[in-house]
Amino acid sequence: MAQQFQEPPLFSHVANTCINHVVYITIILTSFDPSSAAEVCRMQSPPIERDIFNHPSICHDILRQLLAYSFVPINFYIGQDCDLIPNLSTRLCESVLQRSGVHINYFQVFITVFQTHCCYNVVGTPFFFQADELPSREMVQRMTCDGGEHSLPAGAMALKRFLIQDEQEDPCAICIKDFNSGDNAARLPCSHVFHPDCILQWFVQKSTCPLCCFACSCVS
């Protein structure tokens, strides 16, 4: 069932505007986790004036409000070093403005949520994506992974990856497993060390160090 969308204040109906000056944004997303209760979720925007996409900051706010109604983890799109909103906004603005003269008014943003990152893609079409035509989970995954881009959660850019040279590091505090020589490791600015997969999964929920609560999302 398509998710009901409550119109945010930034959106305005433009009943007397030429159709080519108006665009509609649909976010269609799913989870890669087959055990997830959410199959495919859809958020549909009201009509948006095409000129708005000349202003990336406004587009940022529109995407944030749309994603707030989804199951995309908040640390994927709120955080100084998280790149989902600026990258997706840039791609969406370029897609909308490049198609201003060819009657492409409907833009689908496909998103697949993985454990430690999101994949996304933008597709323009002259046709409206009807609510009873929701694609399958497999189609959304294919649209996002084939030719799409990805985003890491907030905090991920603070990681310094390296190989363990000896076994003197303390165990990873997340999985409580020892490091062996040659293992991949990730050091935070606070100097605490974790397995890369462990800390990325942690960042999906929180962007602070598990040991000392250092705010990794504040590090550029």
Side-chain angles (χ1 to χ4, degrees):
M1 180 181 296
Q3 179 170 331
Q4 294 296 317
F5 180 81
Q6 299 178 359
E7 181 176 336
L10 273 174
F11 297 124
S12 60
H13 291 288
V14 281
N16 298 321
T17 307
C18 173
I19 186 63
N20 197 44
H21 295 164
V22 173
V23 299
Y24 298 82
I25 306 300
T26 303
I27 292 183
I28 303 172
L29 60 100
T30 190
S31 170
F32 189 76
D33 181 2
S35 64
S36 172
E39 286 291 328
V40 176
C41 180
R42 189 185 82 138
M43 282 72 64
Q44 174 67 52
S45 80
I48 307 171
E49 293 187 30
R50 190 180 294 268
D51 286 345
I52 281 180
F53 294 91
N54 285 304
H55 307 282
S57 62
I58 300 179
C59 188
H60 287 193
D61 291 337
I62 290 173
L63 288 172
R64 282 195 184 94
Q65 293 192 48
L66 284 169
L67 288 174
Y69 290 86
S70 75
F71 55 81
V72 175
I74 192 170
N75 269 358
F76 281 105
Y77 62 92
I78 295 181
Q80 181 175 336
D81 62 334
C82 187
D83 59 3
L84 176 60
I85 289 294
N87 284 357
L88 182 53
S89 177
T90 297
R91 186 160 184 171
L92 183 59
C93 287
E94 290 176 350
S95 296
V96 171
L97 296 176
Q98 287 173 357
R99 292 167 172 81
S100 60
V102 291
H103 301 288
I104 300 295
N105 302 96
Y106 303 99
F107 293 85
Q108 282 77 50
V109 178
F110 293 94
I111 300 176
T112 299
V113 180
F114 294 79
Q115 285 190 325
T116 57
H117 67 283
C118 287
C119 284
Y120 56 91
N121 209 346
V122 178
V123 178
T125 173
F127 306 106
F128 182 70
F129 212 104
Q130 298 293 336
D132 57 354
E133 296 176 351
L134 284 178
S136 65
R137 180 198 294 254
E138 291 73 20
M139 177 185 173
V140 178
Q141 293 172 355
R142 187 170 63 251
M143 293 297 295
T144 56
C145 296
D146 294 346
E149 300 180 50
H150 74 275
S151 172
L152 295 172
M157 297 299 290
L159 297 177
K160 301 296 183 184
R161 295 174 182 260
F162 67 100
L163 293 177
I164 297 292
Q165 300 297 326
D166 52 48
E167 300 181 10
Q168 295 180 357
E169 294 287 351
D170 292 333
C172 173
I174 298 175
C175 68
I176 321 299
K177 292 182 179 179
D178 291 328
F179 287 103
N180 298 313
S181 180
D183 283 354
N184 288 309
R187 190 186 306 278
L188 300 186
C190 55
S191 297
H192 290 124
V193 176
F194 307 91
H195 291 115
D197 289 345
C198 292
I199 191 62
L200 282 174
Q201 180 60 36
W202 175 272
F203 281 155
V204 172
Q205 304 299 328
K206 298 180 179 180
S207 58
T208 57
C209 173
L211 291 174
C212 68
C213 295
F214 178 86
C216 298
S217 62
C218 295
V219 178
S220 58

